[in-house]
Amino acid sequence: MDIPADGLRLSMNWLDNLILVIYFAVVLGIAFAAKRSVNTTLDFFLSGRSLPAWVTGLAFVSANLGATEILGMAANGAQYGAYTVHWYLIGAIPAMVFLGLVMMPFYYNSKVRSVPEFLLLRFSPSSHLLSAVIFAVASVLIAGVNLYALAIVLQALLGWPLPVSIVVSGVFVLAYIVIGGLSSAIYNEVLQFFVIVAALVPLTVLGLARVGGIDGFIDRVFAGPGPEFLTAWGGTGFGQENPLGANWLTITLGLGFAISFGYWTTNFAEVQRSLSAKNLSAARRTPLIAAFPKMFIPLIVVLPGILALLVEPTIGQPGSGYTYNDAIPLLMRDLLPNGVLGLAVTGLMASFMAGMAANVSSFNTVFTTDIWQAYIKPRMPDAHYLRVGRVITAVGVVVGMGTAFIAASFSNIMNYMQTLFSFFNVPLFATFILALFWKRMTAKAGFWGLLLGTLAPICFYLAYQAGYVPISTDQGANMTAAIIAFAVDIAVSVPIALATTPKTDAELAGLVYSRAAARDGGTPAPGDDAWYRRPALLGWGAMVLAALCYVPFTL
């Protein structure tokens, strides 16, 4: 088990602890307030589809801004430098826009309660069950990463033993999801978004002050890691060297297309936030609203990772005692005074709970609706499934505690996260794209494409770990694995689809792409027709702004 060094231990005073206690009290208060509106499974799993777009939009970005995002992307910043902005600008924004403009009408109008349920309507029970099982496994593995990320913080900074950190934190998240369901998780995620930002901004500001401002930062990077650490595309030509170990093609296709679209368009932990919106217009705007704060997150996550490398140049090196995962805790130890320290620890706790709650709430929905209700106990009263949802939430948390120890074997937890995405999300995205845009796609093709598309990157990654694949970094291997997953899924699905009988046009109504369906605005609410709420304007505005954000890293 990779445990942070004792040198990271912080001394929290009464003010720091008071801030933490107040935050916990507010979170539980929100849960009990949300409990009053939880009477059915629709309330518990999808908040009764009643939330406004600004709430679901902030929850959408907060659900992704978990401890794995903060510690993992800061670790990426320390290890790979400015190349990490690719995970935001090309690895998030285009896919979030695609989800809002193209895919949400089909998710929302089909009235599905989960992403796998869409495959049940489009294909068959076999594809549905396979995707549900794959997603359930991925959810608890990712939940375990969040638990381990928090354990890094609590053990290093507060001295809590690892088992105590995992159990206490898991039980707390379990309490507020079981009590208030998805509404509790979403409203807490809105709170957590502001707490996280408030906690990380001082870290960035004080870190820049420590190294002499922007000019001192640039000078120290040039003198240390080198100028390539402040570029996003430099050295990415074929045969060139760069810290990321990937060329422009693997970055564009592997990260920008396969991993990114696979994660943002089929990961139910995110899509669930859109499905809880009050109408289709709000559902479409949810990922588009989230795209704007998302593209500026590198300023408070990636930049501190690079600053940590400047403060402690031996981070991540053998024998140093510090892994890349320690980047944020290192800066907290060296820069933050008491009071601000308590806010920062609270922010990391908030990020952990946002990420953990997102995965656990999506896990309980998929297991209850797509496995238990569909194949084990169908046609039971709604109250039965509500009880099962609460029980399986506890099971998901307990299993997540166990999978936390898998994450401990990675010095950079974002490497592990991207490995999971290439295994599970990419082949699911390939199957969805064929299902949505090709009427000829059939149930058998969907099943075998998804199965073999999942096994192919796993086999490739095992070969990489065994030394048979000459790739210099884990992230480079992940991007290549994602391309393989997508290509194998397509290569398997297309010939099987051509050799089997598709569903009729009547059976596919509302389940395959048409221009009319994609433009469907649903039943508008008052104010939905305002120009600044138009999905197309928000989407293309986000794309243009993301392209402009690349400029500082290409000069």
Side-chain angles (χ1 to χ4, degrees):
M1 188 84 177
D2 193 3
I3 301 302
D6 288 338
L8 286 175
R9 192 69 46 80
L10 295 183
S11 176
M12 291 191 44
N13 66 11
W14 66 270
L15 180 58
D16 300 315
N17 290 316
L18 179 62
I19 293 172
L20 201 55
V21 170
I22 291 174
Y23 172 73
F24 283 147
V26 171
V27 167
L28 288 178
I30 292 174
F32 280 106
K35 181 182 179 182
R36 292 178 293 181
S37 63
V38 178
N39 300 306
T40 67
T41 54
L42 185 64
D43 298 331
F44 188 75
F45 295 127
L46 290 178
S47 300
R49 292 185 183 242
S50 62
L51 302 179
W54 73 270
V55 170
T56 55
L58 288 179
F60 191 98
V61 69
S62 182
N64 178 251
L65 194 59
T68 53
E69 169 84 359
I70 293 175
L71 296 186
M73 283 305 179
N76 264 9
Q79 186 171 1
Y80 306 119
Y83 291 95
T84 308
V85 301
H86 289 307
W87 271 266
Y88 295 86
L89 303 182
I90 197 175
I93 306 304
M96 294 167 75
V97 171
F98 183 80
L99 173 64
L101 296 184
V102 178
M103 295 190 72
M104 275 317 301
F106 300 93
Y107 280 142
Y108 198 89
N109 287 337
S110 63
K111 302 298 181 184
V112 296
R113 293 163 295 178
S114 69
V115 170
E117 190 174 5
F118 183 85
L119 291 185
L120 175 63
L121 301 178
R122 177 62 179 85
F123 289 143
S124 66
S126 58
S127 300
H128 172 235
L129 180 60
L130 176 62
S131 64
V133 170
I134 288 174
F135 183 82
V137 171
S139 294
V140 294
L141 286 171
I142 296 172
V145 181
N146 279 282
L147 276 170
Y148 175 63
L150 184 69
I152 291 174
V153 175
L154 295 182
Q155 178 153 355
L157 304 185
L158 307 182
W160 290 15
L162 182 68
V164 173
S165 301
I166 290 176
V167 172
V168 171
S169 305
V171 168
F172 191 81
V173 173
L174 171 64
Y176 81 74
I177 296 178
V178 168
I179 292 170
L182 184 63
S183 292
S184 172
I186 285 180
Y187 279 113
N188 270 306
E189 284 162 2
V190 173
L191 168 67
Q192 287 155 358
F193 173 79
F194 292 106
V195 172
I196 292 166
V197 172
L200 293 179
V201 166
L203 207 59
T204 301
V205 172
L206 293 174
L208 285 173
R210 169 67 70 89
V211 299
I214 298 295
D215 292 338
F217 171 76
I218 294 174
D219 291 341
R220 291 185 62 170
V221 170
F222 274 47
E228 71 277 2
F229 233 62
L230 295 181
T231 180
W233 294 105
T236 60
F238 290 102
Q240 292 183 304
E241 296 285 336
N242 64 74
L244 192 58
N247 57 51
W248 65 267
L249 183 63
T250 53
I251 293 172
T252 304
L253 294 182
L255 174 62
F257 178 68
I259 293 178
S260 172
F261 278 70
Y263 176 80
W264 291 104
T265 66
T266 66
N267 180 24
F268 187 52
E270 300 295 336
V271 174
Q272 188 179 31
R273 273 72 195 148
S274 292
L275 291 178
S276 65
K278 63 182 180 180
N279 61 9
L280 176 56
S281 175
R284 297 185 73 183
R285 282 183 279 124
T286 293
L288 304 178
I289 291 171
F292 288 91
K294 178 67 178 177
M295 68 183 75
F296 295 106
I297 295 298
L299 292 175
I300 58 173
V301 174
V302 180
L303 181 55
I306 302 175
L307 288 167
L309 182 65
L310 300 181
V311 171
E312 182 54 65
T314 63
I315 188 173
Q317 302 303 313
S320 71
Y322 300 116
T323 69
Y324 292 115
N325 292 328
D326 296 328
I328 292 292
L330 271 168
L331 289 186
M332 291 171 63
R333 179 198 69 182
D334 291 346
L335 302 178
L336 298 185
N338 289 112
V340 179
L341 173 61
L343 180 62
V345 173
T346 301
L348 288 181
M349 291 290 289
S351 72
F352 151 74
M353 289 187 288
M356 180 74 176
N359 284 285
V360 171
S361 60
S362 58
F363 167 77
N364 65 25
T365 303
V366 168
F367 182 89
T368 304
T369 62
D370 294 295
I371 298 176
W372 188 268
Q373 183 176 1
Y375 301 104
I376 300 175
K377 285 282 188 177
R379 296 181 296 278
M380 296 293 287
D382 189 72
H384 169 80
Y385 299 119
L386 184 58
R387 288 193 300 271
V388 171
R390 287 192 162 111
V391 171
I392 203 62
T393 300
V395 173
V397 170
V398 171
V399 175
M401 292 177 185
T403 62
F405 293 90
I406 300 176
S409 62
F410 288 75
S411 65
N412 181 338
I413 55 176
M414 191 50 65
N415 289 343
Y416 176 51
M417 290 284 285
Q418 296 295 312
T419 300
L420 296 179
F421 295 156
S422 66
F423 289 175
F424 301 121
N425 291 99
V426 174
L428 187 58
F429 169 66
T431 300
F432 260 80
I433 287 297
L434 290 174
L436 192 61
F437 291 98
W438 192 31
K439 291 183 178 180
R440 194 71 182 73
M441 184 66 172
T442 63
K444 287 185 178 178
F447 176 84
W448 287 107
L450 181 58
L451 179 61
L452 296 179
T454 302
L455 293 177
I458 294 175
C459 293
F460 170 83
Y461 191 78
L462 292 175
Y464 161 72
Q465 288 290 330
Y468 296 117
V469 178
I471 297 179
S472 60
T473 67
D474 288 346
Q475 290 292 10
N478 290 335
M479 294 177 194
T480 304
I483 295 173
I484 291 172
F486 188 87
V488 169
D489 193 301
I490 299 295
V492 170
S493 298
V494 171
I496 294 177
L498 294 174
T500 51
T501 304
K503 290 184 175 182
T504 64
D505 288 348
E507 292 175 300
L508 296 176
L511 299 174
V512 294
Y513 180 85
S514 68
R515 185 170 297 180
R519 290 178 175 176
D520 184 9
T523 303
D528 279 352
D529 58 349
W531 66 269
Y532 56 86
R533 291 185 176 181
R534 294 175 184 172
L537 177 64
L538 291 171
W540 288 108
M543 291 288 288
V544 171
L545 189 56
L548 292 176
C549 286
Y550 259 126
V551 173
F553 305 104
T554 55
L555 299 179

